Amino acid sequence: MTTQSSKGAKVSLSRNRGLIKSTLVAGLITSTMVLMTACSSGSSDAAGSAASPAAPAAEATAAAPSAAAPSAAASEAPPAELTKVAYLMPWVIQGEEAGQFAAVEQGFFNDEGIEVEIVPGGPDARAGALLASGSVQFAVMNPAGIYTNRAEGIPVVGVGGINQVDGLLVMCKTSTGIKSFGDLKGKKVGVWLGGGEAGFQAAAVTEGLAVADVEWLPQKFSMEEFFNDAFDCASATEWNEKHIVYKEGYKAGVDVVELRPADVGLFLPGDSMATLESTVADQPELVQGMVNATLRGWQWVCSSPENRKTGAQYTVDAAPDLDLDLQVIQVEEMCSLMAQGPAKAEGAIGAVAVDSWKQSADATLAAGQLTEPADVPSALTTQFVDAVPAEYRKITW
């Protein structure tokens, strides 16, 4: 087993019930970069046994295998061949992906006849381009990304939900005087361009501002600009950057104000499972297996404190430079986000709620990332989530 930091180039982890080959996406600009590493698996046929010549009854009874206890060779069947799939994560290895790692480690993908290669995301990982090129077959992305890719001609479709709320927020130091999205006029706000800004921009518009009224600046995938006062406000996630800020000694409501699109009535879905329309049409059983195993992995992780820590540990095993305590916090936040909204009402994770996706489409349009309204029904399907066994979706936390 070879491991390197998630900030390095590659991490390969061979598991007894599954396979993780994690390739950190670094400097990827075009859709032609292939991230998959072919994995070959051999199979063996059970050897047949030749009939022995006639012999005296006593010798035959002693030598022949009993009908009640067949030989090992005769009872072994060739292992079923697993379908190999590359599965792109929304970011580098961290607790946000604990459910997918658990699905590998617990053998849930194998149970569906799938061998999954987990491919970490990153600032240069373009999910739509990677799907279109065949470098990956499935990806975790938010609805805004699905809509913008479809507008660019890449037929991505959402096949399952993970987070019912996207978990993005804006953090502003109280010294700026900012208390709401309506106070952002003329301010510098750091955002993760390519989808991460849509909800914030829509919230500003809801509060009566124009998108151009705010100086939206590209933010590093850290809180460096926040700490150095380069921005008035910075983007953060519920499961990561928010906790990094408070770990540095800042206090919520005293030193920092948190702004969320939900504050102005915008509830936008986050991490969602996606693939190409052609995969849905040509390999529905594969899509169903991926949705089944992903939700089963998250249900298993969230179902108990012990499993949450184990899920976090799986990510640390894959990227040893990670802080386990922080990954546990990430898992806790993920379990909360996936049990909100439509999932809470249904008592089951994984919902692809059309109303929520429509709200996301409206926010993406309002933010100027779309030039015309998205065709929401074409961008998602509920058929696979609806067919997931109930025990894989049940909220028990």
Side-chain angles (χ1 to χ4, degrees):
M1 176 175 71
T2 62
T3 63
Q4 291 179 334
S5 163
S6 63
K7 297 175 184 176
K10 187 171 183 177
V11 182
S12 293
L13 301 174
S14 180
R15 304 298 189 192
N16 61 343
R17 296 196 65 186
L19 177 71
I20 303 174
K21 286 188 175 179
S22 301
T23 306
L24 182 62
V25 181
L28 181 60
I29 303 298
T30 69
S31 64
T32 57
M33 179 167 287
V34 178
L35 300 176
M36 292 176 58
T37 301
C39 306
S40 61
S41 59
S43 62
S44 59
D45 295 327
S49 55
S52 58
E59 292 183 12
T61 301
S66 166
S71 67
S75 63
E76 288 180 0
E81 185 175 352
L82 301 177
T83 300
K84 296 179 176 62
V85 165
Y87 195 3
L88 180 68
M89 297 294 100
W91 191 234
V92 296
I93 298 171
Q94 58 179 9
E96 183 184 1
E97 295 113 23
Q100 288 89 329
F101 275 87
V104 172
E105 296 288 353
Q106 294 294 316
F108 299 156
F109 285 116
N110 286 179
D111 289 347
E112 301 290 341
I114 305 169
E115 183 179 281
V116 161
E117 176 186 337
I118 289 185
V119 181
D124 297 311
R126 299 291 178 254
L130 293 171
L131 287 166
S133 69
S135 299
V136 301
Q137 291 73 50
F138 290 83
V140 176
M141 54 197 304
N142 62 33
I146 291 175
Y147 295 133
T148 54
N149 272 282
R150 291 179 67 83
E152 294 169 2
I154 301 175
V156 182
V157 60
V159 296
I162 300 177
N163 291 352
Q164 297 301 317
V165 180
D166 67 8
L168 294 177
L169 67 151
V170 171
M171 303 186 76
C172 312
K173 292 180 181 177
T174 53
S175 58
T176 64
I178 296 170
K179 297 180 180 179
S180 70
F181 282 101
D183 297 328
L184 294 182
K185 186 173 182 178
K187 301 297 186 179
K188 296 180 179 180
V189 180
V191 292
W192 295 311
L193 298 174
E197 72 274 34
F200 305 143
Q201 292 177 348
V205 170
T206 300
E207 288 288 273
L209 302 183
V211 171
D213 287 339
V214 182
E215 190 174 356
W216 307 98
L217 299 172
Q219 178 179 327
K220 296 177 182 179
F221 290 93
S222 71
M223 297 302 283
E224 178 182 336
E225 294 100 338
F226 176 85
F227 292 133
N228 294 333
D229 293 322
F231 298 153
D232 295 301
C233 304
S235 297
T237 61
E238 299 283 5
W239 55 84
N240 193 4
E241 291 81 8
K242 181 180 78 172
H243 296 280
I244 290 174
V245 169
Y246 294 137
K247 197 171 184 180
E248 291 296 316
Y250 291 86
K251 292 182 172 59
V254 177
D255 306 305
V256 177
V257 171
E258 300 176 359
L259 306 179
R260 296 171 176 79
D263 297 341
V264 296
L266 296 176
F267 296 91
L268 310 175
D271 289 357
S272 304
M273 292 167 268
T275 189
L276 296 178
E277 288 181 355
S278 58
T279 305
V280 171
D282 299 338
Q283 297 177 285
E285 297 86 358
L286 176 61
V287 179
Q288 188 67 65
M290 290 294 293
V291 175
N292 286 354
T294 298
L295 294 181
R296 187 182 178 189
W298 273 113
Q299 200 282 335
W300 181 89
V301 165
C302 296
S303 63
S304 73
E306 179 181 0
N307 288 359
R308 293 182 186 200
K309 185 171 183 179
T310 300
Q313 183 64 57
Y314 289 152
T315 67
V316 175
D317 290 343
D321 62 328
L322 294 176
D323 180 279
L324 177 59
D325 290 339
L326 183 56
Q327 305 321 304
V328 171
I329 290 172
Q330 288 197 23
V331 172
E332 296 281 355
E333 294 283 7
M334 287 292 293
C335 292
S336 173
L337 291 170
M338 67 179 57
Q340 296 180 27
K344 183 177 181 180
E346 188 179 347
I349 61 173
V352 180
V354 177
D355 288 346
S356 296
W357 280 60
K358 174 66 167 60
Q359 202 167 46
S360 180
D362 292 342
T364 308
L365 179 66
Q369 294 184 349
L370 296 174
T371 58
E372 58 184 30
D375 181 357
V376 176
S378 297
L380 61 87
T381 176
T382 63
Q383 69 182 92
F384 300 106
V385 171
D386 291 344
V388 173
E391 62 268 27
Y392 298 173
R393 299 183 59 199
K394 186 176 182 181
I395 297 175
T396 58
W397 58 95

